[in-house]
Amino acid sequence: MSTLAAQVPLSPSELKLLQTLIYQECGMFFDERRSQFLQDRLQRRLKACQMDSFYSYYLLLTSAQGKKEMNALLENLTVNETSFFRIRPQLELFKKTVLEELLRKKQERRDWSLRVWSAGCSTGQEPYTLAILICDTLAYYYLRNPPTPKPLIPPPWKVEILASDINYSALLTAQQGIYTETQMEGVDYTLRLRYFDKLADKYVVKPALSNLVQFDFHNLKTEFLPRRNDVIFCRNVMIYFDSAEQKRLVEKFHQCLNTDGYLFVGHAESLFGLTDKFCMIHDNNATVYKQMEKAAR
Ligand SMILES: C[S@@+](CC[C@H](N)C(=O)[O-])C[C@H]1O[C@@H](n2cnc3c(N)ncnc32)[C@H](O)[C@@H]1O
């Protein structure tokens, strides 16, 4: 048996070094509970790089040539579980309360732009769900004045959905927008017909819908994140950060939202103890946080 196939010993100090490096790079924090997962993934990467010491691997990651390997490591560490229409009560709240209010207020100001960010979008099901909900909400405009050909977003509205992640492979899958029958479970028949094309046994997001979503790489750990958002969805991402990093991220989200913008976090996550710059709205089993300007607090 080759020595590379065997497990390479990982000392507590090497583990600490790598843990700290990963935390500094992307905010993911591996506590006791997730330490075995981290060690397994590190062993996997060490083997892929054909290296026989974790200290050499650490030096590779911190070298000028190490960027590619850092991305590969992060791809191995992220949890990309997601689905279409995940946690429906939150999406109902988004559609019925948040969107209604935003559209009404914007219409009064004759501001026809709407910008929504899915931060940590994984393989795309979340931003495409948001695109579908926005299109459906705006659809009633057609009743008054149907243009030809029918665009999904009626003029003069301009909708941008930004979808970002740290995992390049997930982003590529998201951009391709091709999903299996199992992945389509949450999407009902009418929505499938309207927003997807059938290609053999798969479903492909129609160009009219995918054109509304712009995929990009953004590491939520970095200082400069996309601004001027009306709504941010960052669900099931902060759960992997420690509370210091969660606080920093929520502060950045506050900066990245327009006044009175909304933040959705995962339904098992909360802003409790992290900030006093948002007010919580809870309705029908779902929660959203509304950004408060300093003056209003
Ligand atoms: C569990 S998925 C959640 C997907 C989707 N938001 C949902 O709730 O269905 C978490 C995503 O967060 C991404 N992620 C983790 N750390 C990140 C970081 N520092 N910056 C950007 N994305 C990150 C992962 O790559 C992964 O795709």
Side-chain angles (χ1 to χ4, degrees):
M1 195 168 69
S2 107
T3 45
L4 285 172
Q7 294 256 306
V8 174
L10 173 60
S11 71
S13 53
E14 286 170 331
L15 179 61
K16 184 90 194 144
L17 264 183
L18 288 159
Q19 246 172 349
T20 310
L21 183 65
I22 292 161
Y23 179 67
Q24 284 165 347
E25 185 66 26
C26 71
M28 273 192 282
F29 180 70
F30 290 87
D31 56 12
E32 288 275 284
R33 220 169 21 97
R34 300 187 68 229
S35 176
Q36 194 51 51
F37 171 79
L38 172 63
Q39 293 183 44
D40 291 346
R41 297 304 160 106
L42 285 170
Q43 289 285 355
R44 202 185 277 187
R45 287 315 305 161
L46 199 78
K47 198 168 157 194
C49 295
Q50 305 195 324
M51 296 180 87
D52 56 8
S53 127
F54 279 103
Y55 187 63
S56 317
Y57 183 62
Y58 169 80
L59 292 180
L60 167 69
L61 289 175
T62 49
S63 70
Q65 302 78 44
K67 192 72 204 140
K68 202 163 160 227
E69 178 50 31
M70 177 58 91
N71 287 336
L73 173 63
L74 295 185
E75 282 188 11
N76 270 262
L77 292 175
T78 53
V79 176
N80 301 112
E81 188 190 328
T82 187
S83 54
F84 284 105
F85 293 91
R86 188 176 193 181
I87 312 292
R88 285 191 187 256
Q90 282 193 316
L91 300 171
E92 287 286 304
L93 184 62
F94 170 64
K95 193 175 168 184
K96 298 211 172 116
T97 307
V98 170
L99 263 186
E100 282 293 317
E101 185 195 292
L102 280 173
L103 297 182
R104 182 177 44 78
K105 281 189 174 167
K106 279 175 176 272
Q107 204 168 351
E108 279 165 16
R109 298 200 300 270
R110 307 197 69 69
D111 166 6
W112 305 106
S113 70
L114 180 71
R115 196 170 138 92
V116 177
W117 176 21
S118 162
C121 65
S122 189
T123 44
Q125 287 90 329
E126 181 177 85
Y128 290 131
T129 298
L130 300 177
I132 290 173
L133 292 171
I134 294 168
C135 290
D136 274 8
T137 306
L138 284 173
Y140 74 94
Y141 277 82
Y142 287 135
L143 298 176
R144 295 207 194 120
N145 191 10
T148 15
K150 259 184 174 183
L152 285 182
I153 301 294
W157 284 100
K158 184 171 178 292
V159 172
E160 280 176 276
I161 299 166
L162 172 65
S164 69
D165 205 280
I166 200 177
N167 184 325
Y168 280 108
S169 314
L171 278 175
L172 193 66
T173 307
Q175 207 155 26
Q176 286 164 344
I178 303 174
Y179 299 99
T180 62
E181 185 69 53
T182 316
Q183 288 173 312
M184 293 291 289
E185 224 163 51
V187 188
D188 71 30
Y189 180 71
T190 340
L191 295 180
R192 288 183 194 204
L193 276 183
R194 186 152 183 224
Y195 296 110
F196 296 84
D197 291 318
K198 192 91 200 277
L199 185 72
D201 57 347
K202 302 256 172 68
Y203 291 83
V204 188
V205 179
K206 285 192 196 247
L209 190 73
S210 59
N211 285 343
L212 299 177
V213 186
Q214 193 203 329
F215 292 97
D216 210 346
F217 177 95
H218 281 290
N219 181 350
L220 296 173
K221 172 84 185 180
T222 56
E223 227 29 71
F224 298 102
L225 294 172
R227 294 202 165 214
R228 295 193 308 279
N229 298 286
D230 296 302
V231 185
I232 297 176
F233 273 75
C234 184
R235 300 190 299 167
N236 310 298
V237 180
M238 290 201 309
I239 203 166
Y240 302 107
F241 297 178
D242 70 350
S243 66
E245 199 53 50
Q246 290 175 348
K247 274 186 188 161
R248 281 194 283 272
L249 183 58
V250 169
E251 177 57 38
K252 286 186 272 184
F253 282 154
H254 186 264
Q255 303 295 326
C256 290
L257 278 168
N258 292 335
T259 303
D260 288 344
Y262 291 91
L263 172 63
F264 284 88
V265 296
H267 102 122
E269 297 167 324
S270 118
L271 299 195
F272 183 76
L274 299 179
T275 179
D276 60 355
K277 295 183 173 177
F278 287 83
C279 78
M280 184 177 104
I281 301 167
H282 187 79
D283 186 33
N284 195 24
N285 249 333
T287 300
V288 63
Y289 295 91
K290 189 169 184 176
Q291 196 251 32
M292 290 189 297
E293 275 299 281
K294 278 200 185 100
R297 287 158 53 215

